[in-house]
Amino acid sequence: MCGSSKSQLWQIDAFADAAFGGNPAAVCLLPAFPDDSWMQRLAAEMNLSETAFLVPTDNRCRFHLRWFTPVNEVDLCGHATLASMQALREANLINRDQEVHFQTRSGELRCHENDGWISIDLPAIELGKSLSNEARVEVNAALGVDAIEAHRSTIDWVAVLPEESMVCHLTPDLERIKKLPTRGLMVTAASTQGPHDFVSRFFSPQYGIDEDPVTGSAHCCLAPYWAGRLGRDTLVGLQASPRSGQVRCQVRGDRVALTGKAVTVFSGNLCVQPAVT
């Protein structure tokens, strides 16, 4: 029995056409944000790459949104935002034709649904300078292959490999990656297999995520990069993790629209009361 607790909880596979694909996220709907340490403990309990916490505002189109990995809070998460939109639909808190605005540490993120596809509007992340020779040596050693390009973004490092198959069959040294001074390491290559335009994988053992199944925030960086390389603003990315998932991308100046589907795996109520400071 869950007593008087009415906080709702979902596990949702984002960027997935069917259950057990894409990237699972937990979504917790609360009347107000509890103590940060309580949210961190719940995220560790769920043990998914992200747990999203949603709090309504006086405007039914606006919600506060925060994201936690099993070990810390993050500034931006795409797949858990998509999952949050799915959870609001499941709870009948929004209309299907309604645009939702999420207030986050990365500013306002807009989200809407069309014929089963959920689109989220996120900030584009530009690549900065190439990594130093010393850092590039460390990246190559961690991956076990030589990158043809290696860059840093504001939050991650990016290694570009010469072939799609190298990305898909990569077995990196996660202990080496964990020592890199970055949130995570993206690995990417152009695709020759279709219907996707590029492939990627994302490793973030620093944040308690050895390999993230499908990373929305990574596509905020990868989409502008490949748009510039391929000469078009609309692209499809395949994140070639064991669970795998496709992300439809559209670059719009300093914003990126990411589109995918979501599947609810389970929902219920929390049987513990949130701790409040």
Side-chain angles (χ1 to χ4, degrees):
M1 299 291 291
C2 284
S4 61
S5 176
K6 298 297 183 183
S7 300
Q8 294 176 274
L9 184 68
W10 293 263
Q11 183 165 316
I12 293 170
D13 292 341
F15 297 114
D17 294 322
F20 315 127
N23 199 351
V27 181
C28 183
L29 180 63
L30 298 166
F33 285 123
D35 181 73
D36 286 4
S37 64
W38 185 91
M39 290 189 286
Q40 188 61 75
R41 290 197 298 271
L42 180 60
E45 181 83 3
M46 298 306 298
N47 199 32
L48 301 172
S49 59
E50 302 287 347
T51 296
F53 293 90
L54 277 171
V55 171
T57 71
D58 292 337
N59 185 331
R60 66 171 301 179
C61 296
R62 296 182 182 275
F63 294 81
H64 297 291
L65 174 60
R66 293 171 68 180
W67 312 279
F68 286 76
T69 78
V71 298
N72 52 14
E73 186 173 8
V74 297
D75 292 333
L76 181 65
C77 179
H79 87 277
T81 302
L82 191 149
S84 296
M85 183 69 169
Q86 172 75 359
L88 293 175
R89 291 169 53 193
E90 292 277 328
N92 293 316
L93 292 176
I94 57 172
N95 299 323
R96 286 195 172 269
D97 59 351
Q98 179 179 331
E99 182 176 78
V100 173
H101 298 245
F102 294 114
Q103 309 300 318
T104 79
R105 287 169 58 161
S106 289
E108 182 177 270
L109 308 180
R110 299 188 305 276
C111 198
H112 70 272
E113 184 262 343
N114 181 29
D115 196 26
W117 293 88
I118 298 173
S119 293
I120 50 178
D121 174 75
L122 302 167
I125 299 174
E126 292 186 11
L127 287 183
K129 296 180 180 179
S130 296
L131 294 180
S132 67
N133 289 335
E134 180 181 2
R136 187 164 176 167
V137 167
E138 289 300 317
V139 167
N140 289 343
L143 296 178
V145 296
D146 290 339
I148 56 175
E149 296 179 36
H151 303 272
R152 69 175 73 241
S153 75
T154 53
I155 53 177
D156 300 308
W157 288 7
V158 183
V160 183
L161 302 189
E163 296 179 5
E164 178 178 6
S165 61
M166 295 175 68
V167 174
C168 296
H169 298 128
L170 197 66
T171 306
D173 186 333
L174 294 172
E175 286 303 313
R176 280 183 175 268
I177 293 178
K178 193 172 185 178
K179 296 175 183 177
L180 300 177
T182 178
R183 179 188 75 155
L185 177 62
M186 285 180 258
V187 184
T188 188
S191 175
T192 58
Q193 302 301 314
H196 42 276
D197 301 292
F198 62 90
V199 297
S200 67
R201 291 171 70 187
F202 185 83
F203 306 97
S204 186
Q206 301 92 320
Y207 276 42
I209 308 164
D210 286 348
E211 179 170 5
D212 199 31
V214 189
T215 314
S217 61
H219 285 78
C220 293
C221 175
L222 294 170
Y225 172 81
W226 286 112
R229 288 284 302 270
L230 300 176
R232 58 182 184 276
D233 293 336
T234 300
L235 305 156
V236 177
L238 171 69
Q239 193 151 332
S241 67
R243 289 177 65 105
S244 149
Q246 287 194 354
V247 183
R248 296 182 180 183
C249 311
Q250 186 173 28
V251 180
R252 302 169 177 171
D254 63 352
R255 309 291 294 182
V256 176
L258 304 182
T259 301
K261 292 188 175 182
V263 180
T264 301
V265 176
F266 69 76
S267 64
N269 293 323
L270 280 174
C271 293
V272 293
Q273 292 289 344
V276 180
T277 52

